[in-house]
Amino acid sequence: MLDVRRLRLLRELARRGTIAAVAEALAFSPSAVSQQLSVLEREAGLPLLERTGRRVRLTPAGQNLVRHAEAVLERLEEAAADLAEARSGPAGALRIGAFPTATRAIVPAALVALARRHPRLEPMVSETDPAAVAHALRAGDLDVALVHEYDFVPAPQEPGLTTQPLYRESMYLATPAPAAAPAPGPDQGAVLRAYADAPWIAATHGTLCHAMAVRACQAAGFTPRIRHRVDEFATVLALVAAGQGVAVVPHLGVTDPAGPAVSLTRLLMERRTKVAFRSGAAAHPGVAAFTAALRAAVPPELRADVPPELATASSPE
């Protein structure tokens, strides 16, 4: 009989690429991970890994077993959701990942609604960059999270995870005022190219926000000269107001007045935010309750198109 815990290790190895990365993510020692995978190979009765020096890769049998593991783990999530609903409904700890603008603008209202409707639920929010959410969910460090994607940075399909659309935002070019802002129009490239020689302010390297700014500029025909790397949009706007550069910011990043020292030009780009959780966990009472509270907290003008069955399933009580 195959051990589910070892199947999870194999699945993580397929996603993370190295035993060291699996060990770090799941709080094991590398030797413990190797030992457990060796036991799994004995249980399977054939090699699952090919070892070349310090690196390993999955054999065809190992890759096939990972596909079965995904299905098994999804059914276990469904079983856990059923048991949680039968046992107590929305109650206990719920580990939530959210990026900063959503944490400020959407999550607090959702938490207020949760406390009112489900007082036995204990939500715990951690600011998490969307690029790190998939690993955190699969490792069990998070139960539900908010992720986003941009027109120029689509989110990859993550095995073992399910997402549901939540809201969508317009994007703006923030430039110092009182200099005349470029006129909005159908040629987004021309709007951005007007600042091809200006210093730019972008998020830290490796984040989706950083990739969005760079790729939008490259699509317009130039590579931005990044002077400052800042993740928090209020600080980005303060730097723009100080004449330190220009930046691309989302709607929720400028809900507070940017002030007369900043000009905002709407671009033909969007940021789309989704709720993510482990496949099979949609009916988990805590996940379902938080998703419903999030939907109710999103301003009507930002709400994404949601299939009727999701809107019905996620409607607040």
Side-chain angles (χ1 to χ4, degrees), residues 104 172-178 233-243 245 247-265:
R104 175 182 57 80
Y172 297 87
L173 177 66
T175 59
F233 287 115
T235 305
V236 169
L237 291 175
L239 289 171
V240 172
V248 177
V249 296
H251 175 82
L252 289 180
V254 295
T255 49
D256 293 329
V262 176
S263 294
L264 298 171
T265 304

Side-chain angles (χ1 to χ4, degrees), residues 101 104-105 150 167-172 233 237 248-256 264 266 269-271 299 301-302:
T101 48
R104 175 182 57 80
Y150 296 93
Y167 63 86
R168 53 203 310 158
E169 303 168 74
S170 299
M171 302 293 296
Y172 297 87
F233 287 115
L237 291 175
V248 177
V249 296
H251 175 82
L252 289 180
V254 295
T255 49
D256 293 329
L264 298 171
R266 185 169 178 173
M269 295 169 52
E270 284 188 334
R271 181 169 79 167
E301 67 274 13
L302 297 184

Side-chain angles (χ1 to χ4, degrees), residues 80-152:
D82 288 345
L83 290 173
E85 179 62 39
R87 184 170 57 245
S88 58
L94 182 71
R95 295 159 298 179
I96 300 164
F99 52 89
T101 48
T103 302
R104 175 182 57 80
I106 304 295
V107 172
L111 296 180
V112 170
L114 273 185
R116 183 171 63 250
R117 298 186 184 114
H118 306 291
R120 294 186 300 143
L121 194 63
E122 185 184 356
M124 298 180 292
V125 177
S126 299
E127 283 198 351
T128 307
D129 187 85
V133 160
H135 286 333
L137 284 171
R138 282 196 294 258
D141 297 330
L142 297 175
D143 299 309
V144 61
L146 294 179
V147 296
H148 58 57
E149 65 177 6
Y150 296 93
D151 287 347
F152 290 100

Side-chain angles (χ1 to χ4, degrees), residues 41 47-60:
E41 285 186 304
L48 302 176
L49 306 174
E50 294 177 344
R51 294 169 174 81
T52 56
R54 295 185 177 181
R55 301 188 64 82
V56 297
R57 64 181 180 181
L58 272 63
T59 64

